[in-house]
Amino acid sequence: MKHFSTVFNYELKTQLTKKAGIVTMVIMMILALLGTSVPRIIALFETGRGDESVVAADSVDAKAAYVLPNEDIKALLAPITGPNPRLMDSREDLVAALQAGSIEVGFVVTPDLGYEAIYQDRSMYDTRDTAFQSALTTLKKAQLITSHGLTMEDFNAIEGTEAQGQTTILGKNSGTTYFLTFILMMMVYMIVLMYGATVSSIIAREKDSRTMEILITSTRPSALILGKVAAAGVAAVIQFGLVVLAAVIGFQLNKSTYPPEIAMMVSGTLTTGYLLTFLFFSFFGFILYLFLYAALGSTVSKMEDLGSATGLVQFLFIFGYVMASIAAQTPTSTLAVVASIIPFSAIMVMPMRAGVITVPWGQLILAGALMLVFVAFFAYLSIKIYRWGSLNYGNKTRLTRIVKEALRRENR
């Protein structure tokens, strides 16, 4: 226990004091704060654009001109153009006025209420052409309604008629839970890749520099492996916990600016049941992959061989990511169910399924039990492989042979 504590404390201090890790964590915290402040930032910009649109609306009559076919159309368009619109005799006169800069927009209207909007230059936020189209569309609808012997009140009453009903969801609404569930899955993906690579590179570097030979003579392999993995796990919880805390603080500070749908999405996703499922499978799945990275890191004799040695783990993890993406679309399919039970993919697939549907208790219990069994087995296996690796240097060996030799009775 003393050796474990020594290894754990040293590795944890090393992980938490790395400049690269600190900088990465600070950047991610800032991004989390900015990300959760997006609605407030958007509201500030929209406020500015709203003022511009008011000015444009007030000055439409002064800066717009029209070419109308007859007096009847002029009277019909009076609610849109005003009682005394600026009229031009022809399209050519309208274009000349635009080029001279005396107007900003011109409209050529046809007898059937078709139109052409003409600009010399059109700003990004100028919507006078679409507003004019909307107004003309309303007039054409009114004409059609009147031609059928109806009034606008009759039409509005018919159009406003809706079937009365309600929707009751007893389980999960994937329409509101998918987005946040996907973000959490991506966070787990980053944690595993970052800290898994760190653990494997630490062990590979110790073997490359022959430090492993010294460590193995004074400390049990179990203390070394368990201490390193535990330190990486605690460091991940602390560092990414701070990022999550920054996101929570940002959300609480800007909660009043969020649309009701976002607040409903957060409350609908982060239920107690989902959080427990997410924390269990993410944490123990993370520990499982750390043991895999640690075991494979101890099989190489040179740092340049580390990438090829850990390729199998990365393949397994990418497989889990792909399965989680499939499970998000078809969470009840046989493929998704099986992938959520297999420990290598359950780390991401089970939380994804739990976010979009109600997972049966039997599947949760089976997947959880298998996860714990696999964590215990690969912890044992990684210790044996580490022991084997400390005594074997030289050419690369097949993984199957490494496992077979590491589990031989004399290596126990």
Side-chain angles (χ1 to χ4, degrees), residues 279-311:
L279 292 174
F280 177 87
F281 285 96
S282 298
F283 177 76
F284 285 105
F286 173 51
I287 297 299
L288 172 63
Y289 273 97
L290 287 184
F291 280 125
L292 289 172
Y293 272 106
L296 295 176
S298 62
T299 63
V300 300
S301 300
K302 298 178 181 179
M303 283 296 297
E304 53 264 31
D305 296 332
L306 182 61
S308 59
T310 58

Side-chain angles (χ1 to χ4, degrees), residues 48 67 70 76 115 122 166 172 174 224 236 241 304 332 358 376:
V67 177
N70 53 54
L76 183 64
Y115 77 97
R122 184 178 185 273
Q166 64 180 22
K172 304 289 181 65
S174 61
L224 289 169
E304 53 264 31
T332 58
T358 302

Side-chain angles (χ1 to χ4, degrees), residues 8-19 202:
F8 172 80
N9 292 331
Y10 173 79
E11 294 292 346
L12 180 61
K13 182 179 178 181
T14 302
Q15 291 275 359
L16 295 179
T17 55
K18 279 184 178 179
K19 289 185 179 179
I202 288 174

Side-chain angles (χ1 to χ4, degrees), residues 92-111:
E92 290 73 19
D93 293 340
L94 195 67
V95 171
L98 285 167
Q99 293 174 340
S102 59
I103 61 173
E104 293 180 354
V105 61
F107 297 97
V108 180
V109 182
T110 60

Side-chain angles (χ1 to χ4, degrees), residues 228-242:
K228 293 175 185 296
V229 170
V234 172
V237 170
I238 293 174
Q239 292 178 334
F240 276 84
L242 290 174

Side-chain angles (χ1 to χ4, degrees), residues 152-175:
M152 284 300 296
E153 290 76 13
D154 295 332
F155 176 75
N156 290 333
I158 295 171
E159 193 175 50
T161 301
E162 295 180 352
Q164 300 299 314
Q166 64 180 22
T167 301
T168 302
I169 301 174
L170 299 177
K172 304 289 181 65
N173 182 4
S174 61

Side-chain angles (χ1 to χ4, degrees), residues 38-55:
V38 166
R40 186 176 295 277
I41 296 171
I42 292 176
L44 292 176
F45 281 99
E46 285 183 343
T47 301
R49 289 202 297 268
D51 295 337
E52 294 177 6
S53 65
V54 170
V55 173

Side-chain angles (χ1 to χ4, degrees), residues 192-193 195-204 225-226 228-230 232 283-300 305-320 342-347 370-371 373-386 399 402-403:
V192 172
L193 291 183
Y195 288 90
T198 299
V199 169
S200 62
S201 62
I202 288 174
I203 294 176
I225 287 293
L226 295 178
K228 293 175 185 296
V229 170
F283 177 76
F284 285 105
F286 173 51
I287 297 299
L288 172 63
Y289 273 97
L290 287 184
F291 280 125
L292 289 172
Y293 272 106
L296 295 176
S298 62
T299 63
V300 300
D305 296 332
L306 182 61
S308 59
T310 58
L312 176 61
V313 183
Q314 294 176 1
F315 172 79
L316 286 174
F317 194 59
I318 292 173
F319 168 77
I342 298 173
F344 299 119
S345 54
I347 179 176
L370 280 177
M371 179 69 78
V373 170
F374 270 59
V375 168
F377 172 74
F378 280 98
Y380 170 80
L381 182 61
S382 65
I383 294 170
K384 295 301 179 182
I385 293 177
Y386 183 86
L399 182 60
I402 292 173
V403 174

